[in-house]
Amino acid sequence: MAKYLLLKHYRGAPAAGNDVPMDRWTPDEVTAHIGFMNDLAGRLEAAGELVDAQALAPEGTWVRYDGPGRPAVTDGPFAETKDLVAGWMAIDVDSHERALEVAAELSSAPGAGGEPLHEWLELRPFLEQPPTITE
């Protein structure tokens, strides 16, 4: 089994095929989208492939250590690019091919007009072992 993180970018990713921002969807369109996400998560959970999934609020803050007692804080969550990750899903699947299948299905979630979003998702494998340094 291999673990993957699927990142849903709200801003900063290539434009989705159905590129109407969620804040312009009707309440029924939002309900259909959330229902699709819950259904997919339920099927993945039943198959033992879901690790976790969460939606993220648009607000965020960058923080770094800037000396004792002085965390540096800036607007965010992504101050340099103004990217915004809307949510994520962690899966544990048998192969990279299966991870691609799950990501493709997630990309087909309905959006405005009930049409599939065809959104781009970032698929990242978990780092299973730290890199080995040889001399």
Side-chain angles (χ1 to χ4, degrees), residues 23-67:
D23 62 359
R24 294 182 17 214
W25 297 1
T26 67
D28 287 343
E29 290 166 343
V30 172
T31 298
H33 180 80
I34 293 170
F36 177 95
M37 301 297 291
N38 288 336
D39 179 63
L40 176 59
R43 287 185 286 115
L44 292 170
E45 184 174 30
E49 295 178 319
L50 181 69
V51 175
D52 197 5
Q54 298 291 324
L56 299 174
E59 303 82 27
T61 304
W62 275 103
V63 178
R64 76 165 190 225
Y65 178 76
D66 209 23

Side-chain angles (χ1 to χ4, degrees), residues 2-9 49-54 56 85 87-93 96 99-100 102-103 106 121-128:
K3 291 182 181 156
Y4 290 86
L5 184 64
L6 289 76
L7 295 168
K8 293 176 64 68
H9 291 267
E49 295 178 319
L50 181 69
V51 175
D52 197 5
Q54 298 291 324
L56 299 174
V85 176
W88 54 270
M89 179 178 282
I91 57 174
D92 193 356
V93 295
H96 181 73
L100 292 172
V102 172
L106 185 58
L121 299 172
E122 184 177 357
L123 177 64
R124 308 245 341 238
F126 282 32
L127 184 60
E128 296 294 329

